[in-house]
Amino acid sequence: MTSSPDGCSNHINSTYYNLCDKSNPWGIILETFAAAGVVTSIAFMLSLLILICKVQDSSRRKIIPTQFVFLLGVFGLFGLTFAFIIKLNEKTGPTRFFLFGVLFALCFSCLLAHTFTLVKLVRGKKPLSLLMILALALGFSLIQDIIAVEYVVITMNKTNTHVFTEMPRKQLNEDFVMLLIYVLFLMAFTFIMSVSTFCGSFTGWKRHGAHIYMTMLFSIAIWVAWITLLLHGTLDSIWNDTILSTVLVANGWVFLLMYILPEFILLTRQRNPRDYPMEDNFCKPQFLKQSYGMENRAYLQEEITQGPESPSSTLYAPYSTHFQLQNRDSQKDFSIPRPKTRSSPYEDYGGRRDGN
């Protein structure tokens, strides 16, 4: 009977040695970060439920259910880390092949759905509804669920759970990567859509797009690194579990620190009117239409017979009523005549003689 490594009990199964082996501490380090990630994800989910009533911006409130689902996916990634720290067996094999792609597809689908509504917001268009964003996130991730179920069922031949432990290492790694082709497509599509959020006149939403852009940039770098190491072929097979466990922990913390944390900082900020187009034109100054007569139809016949006033005689007042001020013809005199004294009609009477 072989002795257990330092830090592990003699009664523990050798499958779980990586969880407690102090001489090979990578498992202990990764499970510590994974446990911290689980606690942090739960704290963010509880905070999201508490702060949902304080969100003033309706467009930010619509994305909260999708972000909650995203946190569930991140929580699952940290929990799945323990299935990779534990050695590959008939139980952890199907779990690894099924949940790895499903959880990452769920996280990337939520980010992709968020970019769709951001693309509309930065261009001043109406954002997607709450149910539409959530439906897009779940719909995109459902495709990977179908792919994973079909692969696991066909590979296991319904009952053979030992097939993953009996499979050659090269074939095991190649099948694992091939199973994630749709997830790679989601990553590339989400990254392209995050770049398109920078094209728009409403700059307030571009900061949200920058969060997704940086998250995808670091995620792509992590995935390129681990796929290259896994398919390189020169590393010993004992490093497979270490590489994949590190990917789960590293990418999970990238999701939390580069997307969730900045989004929480902006979540309860006051709604900025400059982030939206003018919904009405009541406060926007406009030039009133210059008219040459009264709009009342009772005066229509008079306007036809007399003709409109000349444009030069109309005084334009932008915010006045429809009765426009007009110049009147100054040639006509409408003043009241004053009374004048008249001389006697007999003053110059020729028949009058002096002295008679």
Side-chain angles (χ1 to χ4, degrees), residues 167-195:
M167 191 179 300
R169 180 204 172 212
K170 183 178 180 181
Q171 181 182 354
L172 188 71
N173 294 341
E174 290 177 352
D175 286 1
F176 192 81
V177 175
M178 290 292 293
L179 188 60
L180 302 173
I181 290 180
Y182 177 72
V183 181
L184 295 174
F185 165 76
L186 281 179
M187 292 176 64
F189 192 24
T190 307
F191 179 75
I192 294 173
M193 291 299 296
S194 66
V195 175

PDB file of all heavy atoms in Angstrom, residues 167-195:
ATOM      1  N   MET A 167      -9.714   6.367 -23.331  1.00  0.00           N
ATOM      2  CA  MET A 167      -9.385   7.025 -24.590  1.00  0.00           C
ATOM      3  C   MET A 167      -7.930   7.496 -24.592  1.00  0.00           C
ATOM      4  O   MET A 167      -7.420   7.976 -23.558  1.00  0.00           O
ATOM      5  CB  MET A 167     -10.320   8.224 -24.800  1.00  0.00           C
ATOM      6  CG  MET A 167     -10.271   8.840 -26.190  1.00  0.00           C
ATOM      7  SD  MET A 167     -11.430  10.241 -26.348  1.00  0.00           S
ATOM      8  CE  MET A 167     -12.999   9.444 -25.993  1.00  0.00           C
ATOM      9  N   PRO A 168      -7.196   7.357 -25.718  1.00  0.00           N
ATOM     10  CA  PRO A 168      -5.816   7.869 -25.781  1.00  0.00           C
ATOM     11  C   PRO A 168      -5.758   9.380 -25.519  1.00  0.00           C
ATOM     12  O   PRO A 168      -6.707  10.114 -25.840  1.00  0.00           O
ATOM     13  CB  PRO A 168      -5.382   7.530 -27.209  1.00  0.00           C
ATOM     14  CG  PRO A 168      -6.275   6.412 -27.628  1.00  0.00           C
ATOM     15  CD  PRO A 168      -7.578   6.644 -26.945  1.00  0.00           C
ATOM     16  N   ARG A 169      -4.656   9.816 -24.969  1.00  0.00           N
ATOM     17  CA  ARG A 169      -4.546  11.218 -24.564  1.00  0.00           C
ATOM     18  C   ARG A 169      -4.692  12.165 -25.742  1.00  0.00           C
ATOM     19  O   ARG A 169      -5.381  13.189 -25.661  1.00  0.00           O
ATOM     20  CB  ARG A 169      -3.203  11.447 -23.877  1.00  0.00           C
ATOM     21  CG  ARG A 169      -3.020  12.889 -23.419  1.00  0.00           C
ATOM     22  CD  ARG A 169      -1.560  13.246 -23.280  1.00  0.00           C
ATOM     23  NE  ARG A 169      -1.413  14.676 -23.035  1.00  0.00           N
ATOM     24  CZ  ARG A 169      -0.387  15.390 -23.458  1.00  0.00           C
ATOM     25  NH1 ARG A 169       0.542  14.814 -24.185  1.00  0.00           N
ATOM     26  NH2 ARG A 169      -0.312  16.664 -23.186  1.00  0.00           N
ATOM     27  N   LYS A 170      -4.092  11.861 -26.886  1.00  0.00           N
ATOM     28  CA  LYS A 170      -4.166  12.734 -28.043  1.00  0.00           C
ATOM     29  C   LYS A 170      -5.598  12.857 -28.537  1.00  0.00           C
ATOM     30  O   LYS A 170      -6.082  13.963 -28.823  1.00  0.00           O
ATOM     31  CB  LYS A 170      -3.265  12.200 -29.154  1.00  0.00           C
ATOM     32  CG  LYS A 170      -3.233  13.087 -30.383  1.00  0.00           C
ATOM     33  CD  LYS A 170      -2.282  12.529 -31.439  1.00  0.00           C
ATOM     34  CE  LYS A 170      -2.279  13.439 -32.664  1.00  0.00           C
ATOM     35  NZ  LYS A 170      -1.371  12.902 -33.727  1.00  0.00           N
ATOM     36  N   GLN A 171      -6.287  11.743 -28.639  1.00  0.00           N
ATOM     37  CA  GLN A 171      -7.684  11.780 -29.088  1.00  0.00           C
ATOM     38  C   GLN A 171      -8.559  12.502 -28.068  1.00  0.00           C
ATOM     39  O   GLN A 171      -9.489  13.226 -28.440  1.00  0.00           O
ATOM     40  CB  GLN A 171      -8.200  10.359 -29.303  1.00  0.00           C
ATOM     41  CG  GLN A 171      -9.640  10.302 -29.806  1.00  0.00           C
ATOM     42  CD  GLN A 171     -10.148   8.880 -29.961  1.00  0.00           C
ATOM     43  OE1 GLN A 171      -9.386   7.910 -29.797  1.00  0.00           O
ATOM     44  NE2 GLN A 171     -11.425   8.743 -30.268  1.00  0.00           N
ATOM     45  N   LEU A 172      -8.255  12.318 -26.786  1.00  0.00           N
ATOM     46  CA  LEU A 172      -9.027  12.975 -25.737  1.00  0.00           C
ATOM     47  C   LEU A 172      -8.929  14.490 -25.854  1.00  0.00           C
ATOM     48  O   LEU A 172      -9.940  15.209 -25.775  1.00  0.00           O
ATOM     49  CB  LEU A 172      -8.532  12.504 -24.366  1.00  0.00           C
ATOM     50  CG  LEU A 172      -9.352  12.946 -23.156  1.00  0.00           C
ATOM     51  CD1 LEU A 172     -10.681  12.208 -23.125  1.00  0.00           C
ATOM     52  CD2 LEU A 172      -8.565  12.692 -21.873  1.00  0.00           C
ATOM     53  N   ASN A 173      -7.715  14.982 -26.061  1.00  0.00           N
ATOM     54  CA  ASN A 173      -7.523  16.434 -26.181  1.00  0.00           C
ATOM     55  C   ASN A 173      -8.139  16.992 -27.460  1.00  0.00           C
ATOM     56  O   ASN A 173      -8.740  18.077 -27.458  1.00  0.00           O
ATOM     57  CB  ASN A 173      -6.030  16.763 -26.134  1.00  0.00           C
ATOM     58  CG  ASN A 173      -5.408  16.450 -24.786  1.00  0.00           C
ATOM     59  OD1 ASN A 173      -6.117  16.321 -23.780  1.00  0.00           O
ATOM     60  ND2 ASN A 173      -4.096  16.317 -24.750  1.00  0.00           N
ATOM     61  N   GLU A 174      -7.987  16.251 -28.554  1.00  0.00           N
ATOM     62  CA  GLU A 174      -8.552  16.722 -29.817  1.00  0.00           C
ATOM     63  C   GLU A 174     -10.079  16.759 -29.755  1.00  0.00           C
ATOM     64  O   GLU A 174     -10.701  17.718 -30.241  1.00  0.00           O
ATOM     65  CB  GLU A 174      -8.079  15.820 -30.956  1.00  0.00           C
ATOM     66  CG  GLU A 174      -6.603  15.976 -31.280  1.00  0.00           C
ATOM     67  CD  GLU A 174      -6.150  15.021 -32.362  1.00  0.00           C
ATOM     68  OE1 GLU A 174      -6.969  14.137 -32.736  1.00  0.00           O
ATOM     69  OE2 GLU A 174      -5.001  15.139 -32.837  1.00  0.00           O
ATOM     70  N   ASP A 175     -10.692  15.743 -29.178  1.00  0.00           N
ATOM     71  CA  ASP A 175     -12.155  15.750 -29.049  1.00  0.00           C
ATOM     72  C   ASP A 175     -12.622  16.875 -28.133  1.00  0.00           C
ATOM     73  O   ASP A 175     -13.675  17.485 -28.374  1.00  0.00           O
ATOM     74  CB  ASP A 175     -12.627  14.406 -28.490  1.00  0.00           C
ATOM     75  CG  ASP A 175     -12.558  13.290 -29.521  1.00  0.00           C
ATOM     76  OD1 ASP A 175     -12.116  13.571 -30.662  1.00  0.00           O
ATOM     77  OD2 ASP A 175     -12.918  12.148 -29.201  1.00  0.00           O
ATOM     78  N   PHE A 176     -11.856  17.148 -27.097  1.00  0.00           N
ATOM     79  CA  PHE A 176     -12.234  18.204 -26.169  1.00  0.00           C
ATOM     80  C   PHE A 176     -12.237  19.563 -26.867  1.00  0.00           C
ATOM     81  O   PHE A 176     -13.138  20.377 -26.651  1.00  0.00           O
ATOM     82  CB  PHE A 176     -11.249  18.214 -24.992  1.00  0.00           C
ATOM     83  CG  PHE A 176     -11.697  19.073 -23.841  1.00  0.00           C
ATOM     84  CD1 PHE A 176     -12.611  18.600 -22.919  1.00  0.00           C
ATOM     85  CD2 PHE A 176     -11.202  20.354 -23.677  1.00  0.00           C
ATOM     86  CE1 PHE A 176     -13.026  19.385 -21.857  1.00  0.00           C
ATOM     87  CE2 PHE A 176     -11.613  21.150 -22.626  1.00  0.00           C
ATOM     88  CZ  PHE A 176     -12.535  20.663 -21.713  1.00  0.00           C
ATOM     89  N   VAL A 177     -11.245  19.816 -27.705  1.00  0.00           N
ATOM     90  CA  VAL A 177     -11.173  21.086 -28.420  1.00  0.00           C
ATOM     91  C   VAL A 177     -12.215  21.140 -29.532  1.00  0.00           C
ATOM     92  O   VAL A 177     -12.863  22.188 -29.741  1.00  0.00           O
ATOM     93  CB  VAL A 177      -9.751  21.305 -28.983  1.00  0.00           C
ATOM     94  CG1 VAL A 177      -9.693  22.563 -29.842  1.00  0.00           C
ATOM     95  CG2 VAL A 177      -8.738  21.395 -27.849  1.00  0.00           C
ATOM     96  N   MET A 178     -12.409  20.048 -30.255  1.00  0.00           N
ATOM     97  CA  MET A 178     -13.395  20.029 -31.336  1.00  0.00           C
ATOM     98  C   MET A 178     -14.804  20.276 -30.799  1.00  0.00           C
ATOM     99  O   MET A 178     -15.642  20.877 -31.482  1.00  0.00           O
ATOM    100  CB  MET A 178     -13.343  18.689 -32.064  1.00  0.00           C
ATOM    101  CG  MET A 178     -12.084  18.490 -32.890  1.00  0.00           C
ATOM    102  SD  MET A 178     -12.006  19.592 -34.324  1.00  0.00           S
ATOM    103  CE  MET A 178     -13.349  18.957 -35.307  1.00  0.00           C
ATOM    104  N   LEU A 179     -15.050  19.830 -29.589  1.00  0.00           N
ATOM    105  CA  LEU A 179     -16.359  20.023 -28.983  1.00  0.00           C
ATOM    106  C   LEU A 179     -16.651  21.492 -28.694  1.00  0.00           C
ATOM    107  O   LEU A 179     -17.809  21.870 -28.514  1.00  0.00           O
ATOM    108  CB  LEU A 179     -16.439  19.203 -27.690  1.00  0.00           C
ATOM    109  CG  LEU A 179     -17.785  19.111 -26.978  1.00  0.00           C
ATOM    110  CD1 LEU A 179     -18.837  18.474 -27.883  1.00  0.00           C
ATOM    111  CD2 LEU A 179     -17.654  18.316 -25.677  1.00  0.00           C
ATOM    112  N   LEU A 180     -15.617  22.329 -28.686  1.00  0.00           N
ATOM    113  CA  LEU A 180     -15.756  23.741 -28.321  1.00  0.00           C
ATOM    114  C   LEU A 180     -15.715  24.683 -29.526  1.00  0.00           C
ATOM    115  O   LEU A 180     -15.510  25.883 -29.355  1.00  0.00           O
ATOM    116  CB  LEU A 180     -14.650  24.126 -27.339  1.00  0.00           C
ATOM    117  CG  LEU A 180     -14.593  23.313 -26.043  1.00  0.00           C
ATOM    118  CD1 LEU A 180     -13.357  23.677 -25.243  1.00  0.00           C
ATOM    119  CD2 LEU A 180     -15.846  23.519 -25.219  1.00  0.00           C
ATOM    120  N   ILE A 181     -15.901  24.164 -30.726  1.00  0.00           N
ATOM    121  CA  ILE A 181     -15.844  25.016 -31.923  1.00  0.00           C
ATOM    122  C   ILE A 181     -16.936  26.076 -31.892  1.00  0.00           C
ATOM    123  O   ILE A 181     -16.706  27.250 -32.229  1.00  0.00           O
ATOM    124  CB  ILE A 181     -15.947  24.146 -33.196  1.00  0.00           C
ATOM    125  CG1 ILE A 181     -14.672  23.335 -33.375  1.00  0.00           C
ATOM    126  CG2 ILE A 181     -16.194  25.025 -34.426  1.00  0.00           C
ATOM    127  CD1 ILE A 181     -14.678  22.444 -34.592  1.00  0.00           C
ATOM    128  N   TYR A 182     -18.131  25.694 -31.465  1.00  0.00           N
ATOM    129  CA  TYR A 182     -19.215  26.685 -31.400  1.00  0.00           C
ATOM    130  C   TYR A 182     -18.903  27.758 -30.356  1.00  0.00           C
ATOM    131  O   TYR A 182     -19.247  28.934 -30.544  1.00  0.00           O
ATOM    132  CB  TYR A 182     -20.531  25.999 -31.076  1.00  0.00           C
ATOM    133  CG  TYR A 182     -21.688  26.965 -30.928  1.00  0.00           C
ATOM    134  CD1 TYR A 182     -22.229  27.610 -32.036  1.00  0.00           C
ATOM    135  CD2 TYR A 182     -22.213  27.265 -29.674  1.00  0.00           C
ATOM    136  CE1 TYR A 182     -23.278  28.510 -31.899  1.00  0.00           C
ATOM    137  CE2 TYR A 182     -23.264  28.161 -29.531  1.00  0.00           C
ATOM    138  CZ  TYR A 182     -23.784  28.781 -30.644  1.00  0.00           C
ATOM    139  OH  TYR A 182     -24.812  29.684 -30.512  1.00  0.00           O
ATOM    140  N   VAL A 183     -18.266  27.392 -29.258  1.00  0.00           N
ATOM    141  CA  VAL A 183     -17.884  28.383 -28.245  1.00  0.00           C
ATOM    142  C   VAL A 183     -16.860  29.354 -28.820  1.00  0.00           C
ATOM    143  O   VAL A 183     -16.911  30.567 -28.547  1.00  0.00           O
ATOM    144  CB  VAL A 183     -17.336  27.682 -26.988  1.00  0.00           C
ATOM    145  CG1 VAL A 183     -16.968  28.708 -25.913  1.00  0.00           C
ATOM    146  CG2 VAL A 183     -18.355  26.698 -26.433  1.00  0.00           C
ATOM    147  N   LEU A 184     -15.941  28.855 -29.630  1.00  0.00           N
ATOM    148  CA  LEU A 184     -14.977  29.739 -30.286  1.00  0.00           C
ATOM    149  C   LEU A 184     -15.664  30.711 -31.234  1.00  0.00           C
ATOM    150  O   LEU A 184     -15.273  31.876 -31.346  1.00  0.00           O
ATOM    151  CB  LEU A 184     -13.942  28.897 -31.043  1.00  0.00           C
ATOM    152  CG  LEU A 184     -13.027  28.005 -30.191  1.00  0.00           C
ATOM    153  CD1 LEU A 184     -12.155  27.129 -31.087  1.00  0.00           C
ATOM    154  CD2 LEU A 184     -12.152  28.845 -29.275  1.00  0.00           C
ATOM    155  N   PHE A 185     -16.700  30.230 -31.917  1.00  0.00           N
ATOM    156  CA  PHE A 185     -17.473  31.118 -32.784  1.00  0.00           C
ATOM    157  C   PHE A 185     -18.163  32.210 -31.970  1.00  0.00           C
ATOM    158  O   PHE A 185     -18.189  33.380 -32.372  1.00  0.00           O
ATOM    159  CB  PHE A 185     -18.501  30.302 -33.567  1.00  0.00           C
ATOM    160  CG  PHE A 185     -19.577  31.124 -34.215  1.00  0.00           C
ATOM    161  CD1 PHE A 185     -19.310  31.849 -35.367  1.00  0.00           C
ATOM    162  CD2 PHE A 185     -20.850  31.192 -33.660  1.00  0.00           C
ATOM    163  CE1 PHE A 185     -20.301  32.621 -35.968  1.00  0.00           C
ATOM    164  CE2 PHE A 185     -21.836  31.960 -34.249  1.00  0.00           C
ATOM    165  CZ  PHE A 185     -21.560  32.680 -35.399  1.00  0.00           C
ATOM    166  N   LEU A 186     -18.749  31.839 -30.834  1.00  0.00           N
ATOM    167  CA  LEU A 186     -19.386  32.832 -29.972  1.00  0.00           C
ATOM    168  C   LEU A 186     -18.387  33.876 -29.488  1.00  0.00           C
ATOM    169  O   LEU A 186     -18.700  35.072 -29.427  1.00  0.00           O
ATOM    170  CB  LEU A 186     -20.031  32.144 -28.764  1.00  0.00           C
ATOM    171  CG  LEU A 186     -21.389  31.460 -28.977  1.00  0.00           C
ATOM    172  CD1 LEU A 186     -21.846  30.807 -27.678  1.00  0.00           C
ATOM    173  CD2 LEU A 186     -22.430  32.454 -29.458  1.00  0.00           C
ATOM    174  N   MET A 187     -17.185  33.442 -29.159  1.00  0.00           N
ATOM    175  CA  MET A 187     -16.159  34.375 -28.707  1.00  0.00           C
ATOM    176  C   MET A 187     -15.807  35.378 -29.802  1.00  0.00           C
ATOM    177  O   MET A 187     -15.738  36.595 -29.557  1.00  0.00           O
ATOM    178  CB  MET A 187     -14.904  33.600 -28.282  1.00  0.00           C
ATOM    179  CG  MET A 187     -15.075  32.754 -27.040  1.00  0.00           C
ATOM    180  SD  MET A 187     -13.596  31.801 -26.678  1.00  0.00           S
ATOM    181  CE  MET A 187     -12.431  33.108 -26.350  1.00  0.00           C
ATOM    182  N   ALA A 188     -15.590  34.884 -30.996  1.00  0.00           N
ATOM    183  CA  ALA A 188     -15.225  35.765 -32.100  1.00  0.00           C
ATOM    184  C   ALA A 188     -16.358  36.731 -32.439  1.00  0.00           C
ATOM    185  O   ALA A 188     -16.131  37.933 -32.657  1.00  0.00           O
ATOM    186  CB  ALA A 188     -14.852  34.931 -33.333  1.00  0.00           C
ATOM    187  N   PHE A 189     -17.591  36.230 -32.461  1.00  0.00           N
ATOM    188  CA  PHE A 189     -18.743  37.071 -32.786  1.00  0.00           C
ATOM    189  C   PHE A 189     -18.961  38.143 -31.723  1.00  0.00           C
ATOM    190  O   PHE A 189     -19.248  39.306 -32.026  1.00  0.00           O
ATOM    191  CB  PHE A 189     -19.978  36.193 -32.937  1.00  0.00           C
ATOM    192  CG  PHE A 189     -21.155  36.903 -33.551  1.00  0.00           C
ATOM    193  CD1 PHE A 189     -20.980  38.019 -34.365  1.00  0.00           C
ATOM    194  CD2 PHE A 189     -22.443  36.455 -33.324  1.00  0.00           C
ATOM    195  CE1 PHE A 189     -22.066  38.671 -34.934  1.00  0.00           C
ATOM    196  CE2 PHE A 189     -23.541  37.098 -33.880  1.00  0.00           C
ATOM    197  CZ  PHE A 189     -23.343  38.208 -34.689  1.00  0.00           C
ATOM    198  N   THR A 190     -18.825  37.764 -30.461  1.00  0.00           N
ATOM    199  CA  THR A 190     -18.995  38.730 -29.373  1.00  0.00           C
ATOM    200  C   THR A 190     -17.911  39.798 -29.417  1.00  0.00           C
ATOM    201  O   THR A 190     -18.179  40.989 -29.175  1.00  0.00           O
ATOM    202  CB  THR A 190     -18.960  38.009 -28.018  1.00  0.00           C
ATOM    203  OG1 THR A 190     -19.915  36.945 -28.011  1.00  0.00           O
ATOM    204  CG2 THR A 190     -19.279  38.974 -26.880  1.00  0.00           C
ATOM    205  N   PHE A 191     -16.704  39.404 -29.744  1.00  0.00           N
ATOM    206  CA  PHE A 191     -15.613  40.380 -29.831  1.00  0.00           C
ATOM    207  C   PHE A 191     -15.871  41.384 -30.953  1.00  0.00           C
ATOM    208  O   PHE A 191     -15.662  42.595 -30.789  1.00  0.00           O
ATOM    209  CB  PHE A 191     -14.290  39.647 -30.059  1.00  0.00           C
ATOM    210  CG  PHE A 191     -13.105  40.554 -30.175  1.00  0.00           C
ATOM    211  CD1 PHE A 191     -12.565  41.159 -29.048  1.00  0.00           C
ATOM    212  CD2 PHE A 191     -12.518  40.814 -31.408  1.00  0.00           C
ATOM    213  CE1 PHE A 191     -11.470  42.001 -29.141  1.00  0.00           C
ATOM    214  CE2 PHE A 191     -11.431  41.653 -31.518  1.00  0.00           C
ATOM    215  CZ  PHE A 191     -10.906  42.249 -30.375  1.00  0.00           C
ATOM    216  N   ILE A 192     -16.340  40.902 -32.099  1.00  0.00           N
ATOM    217  CA  ILE A 192     -16.629  41.803 -33.222  1.00  0.00           C
ATOM    218  C   ILE A 192     -17.771  42.751 -32.866  1.00  0.00           C
ATOM    219  O   ILE A 192     -17.720  43.952 -33.161  1.00  0.00           O
ATOM    220  CB  ILE A 192     -16.963  40.979 -34.481  1.00  0.00           C
ATOM    221  CG1 ILE A 192     -15.738  40.185 -34.939  1.00  0.00           C
ATOM    222  CG2 ILE A 192     -17.455  41.881 -35.608  1.00  0.00           C
ATOM    223  CD1 ILE A 192     -16.022  39.212 -36.061  1.00  0.00           C
ATOM    224  N   MET A 193     -18.800  42.232 -32.229  1.00  0.00           N
ATOM    225  CA  MET A 193     -19.926  43.080 -31.839  1.00  0.00           C
ATOM    226  C   MET A 193     -19.529  44.104 -30.783  1.00  0.00           C
ATOM    227  O   MET A 193     -20.044  45.226 -30.766  1.00  0.00           O
ATOM    228  CB  MET A 193     -21.074  42.213 -31.314  1.00  0.00           C
ATOM    229  CG  MET A 193     -21.748  41.363 -32.374  1.00  0.00           C
ATOM    230  SD  MET A 193     -22.510  42.348 -33.687  1.00  0.00           S
ATOM    231  CE  MET A 193     -23.766  43.232 -32.760  1.00  0.00           C
ATOM    232  N   SER A 194     -18.611  43.748 -29.903  1.00  0.00           N
ATOM    233  CA  SER A 194     -18.147  44.715 -28.903  1.00  0.00           C
ATOM    234  C   SER A 194     -17.373  45.857 -29.547  1.00  0.00           C
ATOM    235  O   SER A 194     -17.427  46.998 -29.073  1.00  0.00           O
ATOM    236  CB  SER A 194     -17.284  44.010 -27.857  1.00  0.00           C
ATOM    237  OG  SER A 194     -16.073  43.522 -28.427  1.00  0.00           O
ATOM    238  N   VAL A 195     -16.666  45.574 -30.630  1.00  0.00           N
ATOM    239  CA  VAL A 195     -15.968  46.637 -31.357  1.00  0.00           C
ATOM    240  C   VAL A 195     -16.973  47.582 -32.016  1.00  0.00           C
ATOM    241  O   VAL A 195     -16.769  48.803 -32.054  1.00  0.00           O
ATOM    242  CB  VAL A 195     -15.010  46.036 -32.408  1.00  0.00           C
ATOM    243  CG1 VAL A 195     -14.379  47.130 -33.262  1.00  0.00           C
ATOM    244  CG2 VAL A 195     -13.917  45.227 -31.727  1.00  0.00           C
TER     245      VAL A 195
END
